């Protein structure tokens, strides 16, 4: 996009984009009538466009749109044909919507919004609170004055678009690059560490129905400190009732920050916290067809991955045009990456079963006798791995979500699973399939009982040490069968 900088090598630096995250709500052209969404393609038909192919599994496929290119018929022809979600590149950012303090300007945002809705697309708002692309008047503020200005800006912009958008990127890029896993040093951060929470609470009050998202780059690799920092924030927010509905992973893949095979684990891990996930600004240096297919399949494998957005239509529209990173070349021709994405979407066309939102929270399960946590050894995601006791460490392999289906989920798609119904049968993780051997009663006396077997979750041999394995056993009332949700 026009205001983005070329990323430095080694960093997927999103510097200015508008993102959108996920599933939609009511539509309506500003000042015009509401239009209906296009019907989904039947699941047994191979769709011929990205948006239709994604719709077969209940997802969207979107793009970033710049108002300045809406007069380019080649650009709008491709965009109108292929996509089902739109993110304005710059038109809803802070400097565009409030150029003078207290004086709002929605002309650019409305132009993109109206075009999208007139073409049957939903819109993702981007972005309400960000350290970058602040107008000069905001850059000059600090402390309580800046905090109040942020609140006023959120209220003013969200009031204009209330009931019209699918998602809002409430906060963008608040975490630092590098190995700290901490917050970025910005003028907003210096107003107090609670600024992100305040932004989300303000946004929820301003529009109770739109999905509220946190959006960032370089959070795709599960082992990265930055990813863990964002994950810990989202987990904390969910545990305290801070209103966050989704996480956007920008997904700018290049030689400095390449696609890694644990990207799916990242999506699953965030989803396990009870939030939707979306790929919000996808581009791939050189447009590797394999990487594009892998990313698409990763989203399709996670039921709470609601959709994908590429950051631009043609290579010539990209903020990184020299990397030729998009699905259409500068002349508007489909590239091999386009075909790989379309084929993946068509192959994954069955409608997923949404990941049940946790009804009793997400967090560790701690043995009363041992004080240690129910743990998946070595953070493995392999079906059949027996769970154990281990020192509580807050990591993802100790975070269990209680679902409305009576499952105990880890990683978003693995369930606590009994390998049988008799005494001594191992308790393991396994891909969730809805069977009774994956359903559990969490009782007020601290026991966790298998629905199928009627037996208790038990630490083998009344053990309390690290590595003690977990099994099913006849309920005895012992401390090695008592568990707390802490």
């Amino acid at each position: 996009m026009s205001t983005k900088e070329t990323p430095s090598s080694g960093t997927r630096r999103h510097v200015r984009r508008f993102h959108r995250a996920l599933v939609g709500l009511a539509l309506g052209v500003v000042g015009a009538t509401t239009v209906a969404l296009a019907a989904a393609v039947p699941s047994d038909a191979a769709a011929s466009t990205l948006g239709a192919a994604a719709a077969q599994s209940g997802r969207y496929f979107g793009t970033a749109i710049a108002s300045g290119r809406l007069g380019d018929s080649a650009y709008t022809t491709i965009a109108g044909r292929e996509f089902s979600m739109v993110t304005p590149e710059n038109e809803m950012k802070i400097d565009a919507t409030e150029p003078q303090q207290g004086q709002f300007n929605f002309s650019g945002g409305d132009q993109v919004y109206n075009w999208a809705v007139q073409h049957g697309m939903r819109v993702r708002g981007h972005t309400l609170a960000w350290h970058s692309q602040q107008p000069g008047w905001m850059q000059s503020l600090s402390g309580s004055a800046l905090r109040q200005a942020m609140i006023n800006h959120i209220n003013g912009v969200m009031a204009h678009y209330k009931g019209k958008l699918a998602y809002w990127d409430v906060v963008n890029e608040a975490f630092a690059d590098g190995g700290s896993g901490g917050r970025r040093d910005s003028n907003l951060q210096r107003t107090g560490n609670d600024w992100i929470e305040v932004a989300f609470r303000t946004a929820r009050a301003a529009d109770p129905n739109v999905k509220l998202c946190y959006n960032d780059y370089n959070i795709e690799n599960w082992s990265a400190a930055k990813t863990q920092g964002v994950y810990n924030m989202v987990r904390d927010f969910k545990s305290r009732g801070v209103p966050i509905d989704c996480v956007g992973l920008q997904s700018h893949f290049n030689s400095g920050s390449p696609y890694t095979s644990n990207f799916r684990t990242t999506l699953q891990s965030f989803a396990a916290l009870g939030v939707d996930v979306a790929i919000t600004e996808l581009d791939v240096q050189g447009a590797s067809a394999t990487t594009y297919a892998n990313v698409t399949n990763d989203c399709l494998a996670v039921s709470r991955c609601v959709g994908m957005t590429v950051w631009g239509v043609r290579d010539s529209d990209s903020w990184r045009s020299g990397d030729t990173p998009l699905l259409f070349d500068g002349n508007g021709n489909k590239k091999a990456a386009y075909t790989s994405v379309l084929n993946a979407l068509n192959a994954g066309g069955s409608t997923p079963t949404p990941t049940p939102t946790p009804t009793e929270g997400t967090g560790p399960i701690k043995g009363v006798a041992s004080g240690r946590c129910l743990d998946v050894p070595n953070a493995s995601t392999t079906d059949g791995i027996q769970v154990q006791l281990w020192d509580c460490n807050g990591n993802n392999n100790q975070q269990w979500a209680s679902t409305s289906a009576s499952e105990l989920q880890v990683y978003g798609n693995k369930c606590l699973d009994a390998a049988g119904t008799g005494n001594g049968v191992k308790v393991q993780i396994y891909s969730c399939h809805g069977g009774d051997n994956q359903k559990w009663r969490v009782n007020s006396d601290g026991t966790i009982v298998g629905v199928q077997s009627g037996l208790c979750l038990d630490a083998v041999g009344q053990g309390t040490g690290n590595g003690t394995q977990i099994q099913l056993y006849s309920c005895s009332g012992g401390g090695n069968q008592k568990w707390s949700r802490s």
Side-chain angles (χ1 to χ4, degrees):
M1 100 186 358
S2 60
T3 56
K4 289 197 184 213
E5 300 171 5
T6 301
S8 58
S9 72
T11 305
R12 188 181 318 123
R13 242 187 131 247
H14 133 312
V15 196
R16 291 131 183 109
R17 354 184 150 90
F18 199 37
H19 325 327
R20 107 198 38 30
L22 318 116
V23 186
L25 297 163
L27 300 176
V29 178
V30 177
T33 56
T34 300
V35 299
L37 292 175
V41 176
S43 60
D44 59 351
S48 60
T49 66
L50 299 170
Q56 292 174 126
S57 65
R59 293 172 172 84
Y60 67 78
F61 203 98
T63 190
I65 290 290
S67 59
R69 294 191 177 95
L70 290 177
D72 180 341
S73 61
Y75 177 86
T76 55
T77 296
I78 297 171
R81 180 187 72 225
E82 294 289 341
F83 302 108
S84 56
M85 181 76 79
V86 161
T87 297
E89 285 198 21
N90 290 290
E91 290 80 358
M92 292 185 187
K93 290 176 178 173
I94 308 168
D95 56 354
T97 52
E98 195 178 359
Q100 302 298 324
Q101 189 168 12
Q103 298 178 18
F104 292 91
N105 183 343
F106 300 108
S107 58
D110 287 355
Q111 186 180 359
V112 174
Y113 174 85
N114 289 341
W115 181 88
V117 175
Q118 287 163 355
H119 288 80
M121 302 178 192
R122 293 176 293 156
V123 178
R124 177 191 186 99
H126 177 83
T127 179
L128 295 167
W130 189 23
H131 69 276
S132 189
Q133 281 185 254
Q134 295 178 0
W137 66 264
M138 182 175 281
Q139 295 177 38
S140 69
L141 299 179
S142 62
S144 60
L146 176 58
R147 173 66 66 88
Q148 190 59 51
M150 179 192 77
I151 292 170
N152 293 344
H153 179 80
I154 292 171
N155 284 327
V157 176
M158 291 192 73
H160 181 77
Y161 290 107
K162 185 176 182 179
K164 297 182 174 75
L165 304 185
Y167 301 91
W168 261 116
D169 287 329
V170 178
V171 174
N172 195 46
E173 301 178 355
F175 277 73
D177 294 316
S180 72
R183 298 280 185 87
R184 178 190 298 275
D185 179 26
S186 70
N187 58 350
L188 291 169
Q189 178 65 28
R190 290 190 291 273
T191 68
N193 201 55
D194 63 340
W195 75 273
I196 300 177
E197 177 176 344
V198 169
F200 275 92
R201 292 192 184 279
T202 302
R204 174 60 80 232
D207 189 341
N209 296 315
V210 69
K211 293 288 187 76
L212 306 179
C213 309
Y214 176 80
N215 191 59
D216 215 330
Y217 67 96
N218 281 354
I219 60 169
E220 296 80 19
N221 186 333
W222 178 243
S223 64
K226 185 174 181 180
T227 305
Q228 293 299 313
V230 174
Y231 174 86
N232 289 333
M233 178 190 72
V234 175
R235 184 178 64 189
D236 172 62
F237 280 8
K238 294 298 289 185
S239 71
R240 294 190 294 108
V242 179
I244 183 170
D245 303 309
C246 41
V247 173
L249 299 95
Q250 293 180 15
S251 305
H252 297 289
F253 295 118
N254 55 53
S255 59
S257 47
Y259 168 84
T260 57
S261 60
N262 66 12
F263 181 46
R264 186 177 301 188
T265 298
T266 303
L267 295 174
Q268 292 168 337
S269 299
F270 278 110
L273 296 177
V275 294
D276 290 336
V277 292
I279 296 163
T280 54
E281 302 183 19
L282 178 63
D283 48 33
V284 178
Q285 185 178 35
S288 162
T290 299
T291 298
Y292 264 109
N294 286 340
V295 172
T296 304
N297 285 321
D298 288 339
C299 181
L300 290 170
V302 179
S303 60
R304 292 198 74 147
C305 183
V306 294
M308 302 168 59
T309 293
V310 287
W311 203 248
V313 178
R314 305 162 299 192
D315 285 337
S316 54
D317 307 313
S318 171
W319 67 296
R320 301 162 61 176
S321 58
D323 287 346
T324 60
L326 297 175
L327 301 178
F328 295 86
D329 68 21
N331 295 317
N333 299 309
K334 297 173 182 177
K335 297 161 66 173
Y338 173 94
T339 303
S340 73
V341 171
L342 184 67
N343 288 344
L345 291 171
N346 277 321
S350 61
T351 301
T353 301
T355 304
T357 300
T359 57
E360 297 182 273
T362 298
I365 297 174
K366 185 181 292 186
V368 170
S370 65
R372 292 187 164 89
C373 281
L374 194 65
D375 175 281
V376 182
N378 301 314
S380 174
T381 59
T382 303
D383 284 347
I385 293 292
Q386 187 169 9
V387 294
Q388 63 180 5
L389 293 177
W390 201 263
D391 291 335
C392 299
N393 54 34
N395 290 339
N396 185 54
N397 61 319
Q398 295 183 353
Q399 302 301 311
W400 300 90
S402 302
T403 76
S404 57
S406 300
E407 298 163 328
L408 290 170
Q409 289 188 352
V410 66
Y411 306 136
N413 70 337
K414 300 291 184 181
C415 278
L416 193 67
D417 176 289
T421 57
N423 280 340
V425 163
K426 74 174 181 177
V427 176
Q428 60 190 3
I429 62 166
Y430 211 88
S431 297
C432 299
H433 53 67
D436 285 346
N437 66 315
Q438 295 185 345
K439 296 180 180 179
W440 305 87
R441 292 194 304 271
V442 181
N443 299 316
S444 59
D445 67 356
T447 58
I448 298 177
V449 176
V451 168
Q452 183 182 62
S453 65
L455 303 180
C456 276
L457 200 67
D458 176 284
V460 172
Q462 300 185 19
T464 58
N466 281 337
T468 298
Q469 294 184 318
I470 305 302
Q471 63 181 1
L472 288 180
Y473 215 84
S474 298
C475 299
S476 63
N480 66 317
Q481 294 184 349
K482 299 289 181 69
W483 307 87
S484 66
R485 288 290 248 160
S486 57

